[in-house]
Amino acid sequence: MFIERELNNGQRTGAIEVICGSMFSGKTEELIRRIKRARIARQKIEIFKPAIDVRYSATEVVSHDENAIRSTPVENSANILLLASGIDVVGIDEAQFFDKNLVEVVIQLANQGVRVIVAGLDMDFRGQPFGPIPGLMAVADYVTKVHAVCVRCGNIAQFSHRLTEKEQVVLLGERDLYEALCRKCYNKANKGK
Ligand code: ADP
Ligand code: MG
């Protein structure tokens, strides 16, 4: 179970926390919540996101509830290492879009005493594990899986169903292109595909 450790007694103990789930499941909200609390504890914070994700804002991480926090867009995972020196808490949103080397980067940061909080989609629209997220879940100290609400039946949803026939894995979009579905409704929607 994830228990937030907020004792700021001058000891830096590194850790890897993963927040995963489907689209609209509250990953960004949970990331922002943890970061805000670390800020109250006067820790040095930096949030990164992949440069390709400019859906709402180029320089902020924004939740679907319009909660926002400043972030630094980076081209690849190695840049995070370069930019994170002297930082206590590193947040990374939309981590599924980063290269697989992100796993090594996060381990290195944690070994240096950094608390790393990574949020990202665990599955793509086909229900396949997404980019570096499965590797991150394996090496994490804590994994939190959050859930959306199925827009068809109201049950707990863990799938991101794509509403277009386009096949590429990375297709940036929001409610126009994706909906959160439970297992039953997701399988029904994909029948015959
Ligand atoms: P994520 O980062 O996982 O995509 P966000 O943290 O940006 O999610 O947004 C979560 C918010 O999205 C919820 O608090 C709610 O206001 C809104 N929302 C929209 N559609 C849904 C849905 N189908 N299930 C749950 N929340 C939804
Ligand atoms: Mg998000």
Side-chain angles (χ1 to χ4, degrees), residues 65-79:
D65 235 10
E66 288 163 16
N67 215 338
I69 204 160
R70 196 190 61 78
S71 73
T72 305
V74 287
E75 294 290 341
N76 57 57
S77 62
N79 287 353

mmCIF file with all atom_site columns, all heavy atoms in Angstrom, residues 65-79:
data_model
loop_
_atom_site.group_PDB
_atom_site.id
_atom_site.type_symbol
_atom_site.label_atom_id
_atom_site.label_alt_id
_atom_site.label_comp_id
_atom_site.label_asym_id
_atom_site.label_entity_id
_atom_site.label_seq_id
_atom_site.pdbx_PDB_ins_code
_atom_site.Cartn_x
_atom_site.Cartn_y
_atom_site.Cartn_z
_atom_site.occupancy
_atom_site.B_iso_or_equiv
_atom_site.pdbx_formal_charge
_atom_site.auth_seq_id
_atom_site.auth_comp_id
_atom_site.auth_asym_id
_atom_site.auth_atom_id
_atom_site.pdbx_PDB_model_num
ATOM 1   N N   . ASP A 1 65 ? -9.902  18.171 -14.972 1.00 0.00 ? 65 ASP A N   1
ATOM 2   C CA  . ASP A 1 65 ? -10.682 19.033 -14.085 1.00 0.00 ? 65 ASP A CA  1
ATOM 3   C C   . ASP A 1 65 ? -10.103 20.440 -14.067 1.00 0.00 ? 65 ASP A C   1
ATOM 4   O O   . ASP A 1 65 ? -10.453 21.262 -13.228 1.00 0.00 ? 65 ASP A O   1
ATOM 5   C CB  . ASP A 1 65 ? -10.653 18.452 -12.663 1.00 0.00 ? 65 ASP A CB  1
ATOM 6   C CG  . ASP A 1 65 ? -12.047 18.250 -12.138 1.00 0.00 ? 65 ASP A CG  1
ATOM 7   O OD1 . ASP A 1 65 ? -12.985 18.387 -12.953 1.00 0.00 ? 65 ASP A OD1 1
ATOM 8   O OD2 . ASP A 1 65 ? -12.198 17.977 -10.941 1.00 0.00 ? 65 ASP A OD2 1
ATOM 9   N N   . GLU A 1 66 ? -9.141  20.687 -14.952 1.00 0.00 ? 66 GLU A N   1
ATOM 10  C CA  . GLU A 1 66 ? -8.500  21.983 -15.128 1.00 0.00 ? 66 GLU A CA  1
ATOM 11  C C   . GLU A 1 66 ? -7.642  22.419 -13.963 1.00 0.00 ? 66 GLU A C   1
ATOM 12  O O   . GLU A 1 66 ? -7.399  23.604 -13.754 1.00 0.00 ? 66 GLU A O   1
ATOM 13  C CB  . GLU A 1 66 ? -9.541  23.053 -15.513 1.00 0.00 ? 66 GLU A CB  1
ATOM 14  C CG  . GLU A 1 66 ? -10.018 22.837 -16.938 1.00 0.00 ? 66 GLU A CG  1
ATOM 15  C CD  . GLU A 1 66 ? -11.300 23.559 -17.251 1.00 0.00 ? 66 GLU A CD  1
ATOM 16  O OE1 . GLU A 1 66 ? -11.676 24.465 -16.497 1.00 0.00 ? 66 GLU A OE1 1
ATOM 17  O OE2 . GLU A 1 66 ? -11.918 23.197 -18.265 1.00 0.00 ? 66 GLU A OE2 1
ATOM 18  N N   . ASN A 1 67 ? -7.217  21.457 -13.170 1.00 0.00 ? 67 ASN A N   1
ATOM 19  C CA  . ASN A 1 67 ? -6.200  21.687 -12.171 1.00 0.00 ? 67 ASN A CA  1
ATOM 20  C C   . ASN A 1 67 ? -4.885  21.769 -12.943 1.00 0.00 ? 67 ASN A C   1
ATOM 21  O O   . ASN A 1 67 ? -4.658  20.967 -13.832 1.00 0.00 ? 67 ASN A O   1
ATOM 22  C CB  . ASN A 1 67 ? -6.172  20.451 -11.264 1.00 0.00 ? 67 ASN A CB  1
ATOM 23  C CG  . ASN A 1 67 ? -5.879  20.795 -9.837  1.00 0.00 ? 67 ASN A CG  1
ATOM 24  O OD1 . ASN A 1 67 ? -5.303  21.840 -9.543  1.00 0.00 ? 67 ASN A OD1 1
ATOM 25  N ND2 . ASN A 1 67 ? -6.261  19.897 -8.945  1.00 0.00 ? 67 ASN A ND2 1
ATOM 26  N N   . ALA A 1 68 ? -4.020  22.737 -12.632 1.00 0.00 ? 68 ALA A N   1
ATOM 27  C CA  . ALA A 1 68 ? -2.800  22.880 -13.441 1.00 0.00 ? 68 ALA A CA  1
ATOM 28  C C   . ALA A 1 68 ? -1.586  23.151 -12.579 1.00 0.00 ? 68 ALA A C   1
ATOM 29  O O   . ALA A 1 68 ? -1.692  23.701 -11.485 1.00 0.00 ? 68 ALA A O   1
ATOM 30  C CB  . ALA A 1 68 ? -2.972  24.001 -14.455 1.00 0.00 ? 68 ALA A CB  1
ATOM 31  N N   . ILE A 1 69 ? -0.441  22.763 -13.072 1.00 0.00 ? 69 ILE A N   1
ATOM 32  C CA  . ILE A 1 69 ? 0.808   22.981 -12.361 1.00 0.00 ? 69 ILE A CA  1
ATOM 33  C C   . ILE A 1 69 ? 1.905   23.169 -13.406 1.00 0.00 ? 69 ILE A C   1
ATOM 34  O O   . ILE A 1 69 ? 1.847   22.565 -14.471 1.00 0.00 ? 69 ILE A O   1
ATOM 35  C CB  . ILE A 1 69 ? 1.065   21.781 -11.406 1.00 0.00 ? 69 ILE A CB  1
ATOM 36  C CG1 . ILE A 1 69 ? 1.960   22.161 -10.243 1.00 0.00 ? 69 ILE A CG1 1
ATOM 37  C CG2 . ILE A 1 69 ? 1.604   20.568 -12.123 1.00 0.00 ? 69 ILE A CG2 1
ATOM 38  C CD1 . ILE A 1 69 ? 1.838   21.182 -9.065  1.00 0.00 ? 69 ILE A CD1 1
ATOM 39  N N   . ARG A 1 70 ? 2.864   24.033 -13.112 1.00 0.00 ? 70 ARG A N   1
ATOM 40  C CA  . ARG A 1 70 ? 3.906   24.331 -14.102 1.00 0.00 ? 70 ARG A CA  1
ATOM 41  C C   . ARG A 1 70 ? 4.766   23.099 -14.375 1.00 0.00 ? 70 ARG A C   1
ATOM 42  O O   . ARG A 1 70 ? 5.070   22.332 -13.473 1.00 0.00 ? 70 ARG A O   1
ATOM 43  C CB  . ARG A 1 70 ? 4.784   25.462 -13.572 1.00 0.00 ? 70 ARG A CB  1
ATOM 44  C CG  . ARG A 1 70 ? 5.658   26.125 -14.616 1.00 0.00 ? 70 ARG A CG  1
ATOM 45  C CD  . ARG A 1 70 ? 6.658   27.054 -13.977 1.00 0.00 ? 70 ARG A CD  1
ATOM 46  N NE  . ARG A 1 70 ? 7.554   26.333 -13.057 1.00 0.00 ? 70 ARG A NE  1
ATOM 47  C CZ  . ARG A 1 70 ? 8.590   25.587 -13.447 1.00 0.00 ? 70 ARG A CZ  1
ATOM 48  N NH1 . ARG A 1 70 ? 8.865   25.442 -14.728 1.00 0.00 ? 70 ARG A NH1 1
ATOM 49  N NH2 . ARG A 1 70 ? 9.347   24.971 -12.552 1.00 0.00 ? 70 ARG A NH2 1
ATOM 50  N N   . SER A 1 71 ? 5.151   22.912 -15.618 1.00 0.00 ? 71 SER A N   1
ATOM 51  C CA  . SER A 1 71 ? 6.004   21.768 -15.943 1.00 0.00 ? 71 SER A CA  1
ATOM 52  C C   . SER A 1 71 ? 6.991   22.134 -17.039 1.00 0.00 ? 71 SER A C   1
ATOM 53  O O   . SER A 1 71 ? 6.812   23.124 -17.742 1.00 0.00 ? 71 SER A O   1
ATOM 54  C CB  . SER A 1 71 ? 5.167   20.571 -16.385 1.00 0.00 ? 71 SER A CB  1
ATOM 55  O OG  . SER A 1 71 ? 4.659   20.801 -17.680 1.00 0.00 ? 71 SER A OG  1
ATOM 56  N N   . THR A 1 72 ? 8.036   21.323 -17.150 1.00 0.00 ? 72 THR A N   1
ATOM 57  C CA  . THR A 1 72 ? 9.063   21.545 -18.159 1.00 0.00 ? 72 THR A CA  1
ATOM 58  C C   . THR A 1 72 ? 8.943   20.477 -19.235 1.00 0.00 ? 72 THR A C   1
ATOM 59  O O   . THR A 1 72 ? 9.085   19.291 -18.933 1.00 0.00 ? 72 THR A O   1
ATOM 60  C CB  . THR A 1 72 ? 10.459  21.437 -17.496 1.00 0.00 ? 72 THR A CB  1
ATOM 61  O OG1 . THR A 1 72 ? 10.496  22.346 -16.401 1.00 0.00 ? 72 THR A OG1 1
ATOM 62  C CG2 . THR A 1 72 ? 11.567  21.757 -18.481 1.00 0.00 ? 72 THR A CG2 1
ATOM 63  N N   . PRO A 1 73 ? 8.667   20.879 -20.479 1.00 0.00 ? 73 PRO A N   1
ATOM 64  C CA  . PRO A 1 73 ? 8.617   19.877 -21.551 1.00 0.00 ? 73 PRO A CA  1
ATOM 65  C C   . PRO A 1 73 ? 10.020  19.409 -21.923 1.00 0.00 ? 73 PRO A C   1
ATOM 66  O O   . PRO A 1 73 ? 10.921  20.246 -22.051 1.00 0.00 ? 73 PRO A O   1
ATOM 67  C CB  . PRO A 1 73 ? 7.972   20.620 -22.729 1.00 0.00 ? 73 PRO A CB  1
ATOM 68  C CG  . PRO A 1 73 ? 7.823   22.035 -22.317 1.00 0.00 ? 73 PRO A CG  1
ATOM 69  C CD  . PRO A 1 73 ? 8.394   22.243 -20.968 1.00 0.00 ? 73 PRO A CD  1
ATOM 70  N N   . VAL A 1 74 ? 10.233  18.100 -22.065 1.00 0.00 ? 74 VAL A N   1
ATOM 71  C CA  . VAL A 1 74 ? 11.553  17.584 -22.459 1.00 0.00 ? 74 VAL A CA  1
ATOM 72  C C   . VAL A 1 74 ? 11.406  16.618 -23.641 1.00 0.00 ? 74 VAL A C   1
ATOM 73  O O   . VAL A 1 74 ? 10.393  15.946 -23.790 1.00 0.00 ? 74 VAL A O   1
ATOM 74  C CB  . VAL A 1 74 ? 12.282  16.870 -21.293 1.00 0.00 ? 74 VAL A CB  1
ATOM 75  C CG1 . VAL A 1 74 ? 12.788  17.872 -20.271 1.00 0.00 ? 74 VAL A CG1 1
ATOM 76  C CG2 . VAL A 1 74 ? 11.405  15.843 -20.622 1.00 0.00 ? 74 VAL A CG2 1
ATOM 77  N N   . GLU A 1 75 ? 12.440  16.585 -24.460 1.00 0.00 ? 75 GLU A N   1
ATOM 78  C CA  . GLU A 1 75 ? 12.412  15.783 -25.687 1.00 0.00 ? 75 GLU A CA  1
ATOM 79  C C   . GLU A 1 75 ? 12.607  14.293 -25.414 1.00 0.00 ? 75 GLU A C   1
ATOM 80  O O   . GLU A 1 75 ? 12.048  13.458 -26.099 1.00 0.00 ? 75 GLU A O   1
ATOM 81  C CB  . GLU A 1 75 ? 13.515  16.242 -26.654 1.00 0.00 ? 75 GLU A CB  1
ATOM 82  C CG  . GLU A 1 75 ? 13.330  17.650 -27.209 1.00 0.00 ? 75 GLU A CG  1
ATOM 83  C CD  . GLU A 1 75 ? 12.157  17.755 -28.181 1.00 0.00 ? 75 GLU A CD  1
ATOM 84  O OE1 . GLU A 1 75 ? 11.723  16.711 -28.706 1.00 0.00 ? 75 GLU A OE1 1
ATOM 85  O OE2 . GLU A 1 75 ? 11.674  18.881 -28.379 1.00 0.00 ? 75 GLU A OE2 1
ATOM 86  N N   . ASN A 1 76 ? 13.478  13.973 -24.425 1.00 0.00 ? 76 ASN A N   1
ATOM 87  C CA  . ASN A 1 76 ? 13.723  12.553 -24.145 1.00 0.00 ? 76 ASN A CA  1
ATOM 88  C C   . ASN A 1 76 ? 14.103  12.365 -22.681 1.00 0.00 ? 76 ASN A C   1
ATOM 89  O O   . ASN A 1 76 ? 14.375  13.330 -21.961 1.00 0.00 ? 76 ASN A O   1
ATOM 90  C CB  . ASN A 1 76 ? 14.808  11.993 -25.071 1.00 0.00 ? 76 ASN A CB  1
ATOM 91  C CG  . ASN A 1 76 ? 16.093  12.767 -24.948 1.00 0.00 ? 76 ASN A CG  1
ATOM 92  O OD1 . ASN A 1 76 ? 16.655  12.878 -23.856 1.00 0.00 ? 76 ASN A OD1 1
ATOM 93  N ND2 . ASN A 1 76 ? 16.570  13.310 -26.045 1.00 0.00 ? 76 ASN A ND2 1
ATOM 94  N N   . SER A 1 77 ? 14.146  11.096 -22.258 1.00 0.00 ? 77 SER A N   1
ATOM 95  C CA  . SER A 1 77 ? 14.317  10.809 -20.837 1.00 0.00 ? 77 SER A CA  1
ATOM 96  C C   . SER A 1 77 ? 15.677  11.261 -20.300 1.00 0.00 ? 77 SER A C   1
ATOM 97  O O   . SER A 1 77 ? 15.790  11.662 -19.146 1.00 0.00 ? 77 SER A O   1
ATOM 98  C CB  . SER A 1 77 ? 14.105  9.319  -20.579 1.00 0.00 ? 77 SER A CB  1
ATOM 99  O OG  . SER A 1 77 ? 15.065  8.566  -21.277 1.00 0.00 ? 77 SER A OG  1
ATOM 100 N N   . ALA A 1 78 ? 16.722  11.217 -21.140 1.00 0.00 ? 78 ALA A N   1
ATOM 101 C CA  . ALA A 1 78 ? 18.056  11.610 -20.675 1.00 0.00 ? 78 ALA A CA  1
ATOM 102 C C   . ALA A 1 78 ? 18.082  13.071 -20.220 1.00 0.00 ? 78 ALA A C   1
ATOM 103 O O   . ALA A 1 78 ? 18.814  13.434 -19.292 1.00 0.00 ? 78 ALA A O   1
ATOM 104 C CB  . ALA A 1 78 ? 19.080  11.378 -21.782 1.00 0.00 ? 78 ALA A CB  1
ATOM 105 N N   . ASN A 1 79 ? 17.249  13.904 -20.850 1.00 0.00 ? 79 ASN A N   1
ATOM 106 C CA  . ASN A 1 79 ? 17.188  15.321 -20.451 1.00 0.00 ? 79 ASN A CA  1
ATOM 107 C C   . ASN A 1 79 ? 16.703  15.493 -19.022 1.00 0.00 ? 79 ASN A C   1
ATOM 108 O O   . ASN A 1 79 ? 17.062  16.454 -18.346 1.00 0.00 ? 79 ASN A O   1
ATOM 109 C CB  . ASN A 1 79 ? 16.254  16.100 -21.387 1.00 0.00 ? 79 ASN A CB  1
ATOM 110 C CG  . ASN A 1 79 ? 16.865  16.307 -22.756 1.00 0.00 ? 79 ASN A CG  1
ATOM 111 O OD1 . ASN A 1 79 ? 18.034  15.974 -22.961 1.00 0.00 ? 79 ASN A OD1 1
ATOM 112 N ND2 . ASN A 1 79 ? 16.086  16.834 -23.673 1.00 0.00 ? 79 ASN A ND2 1
#
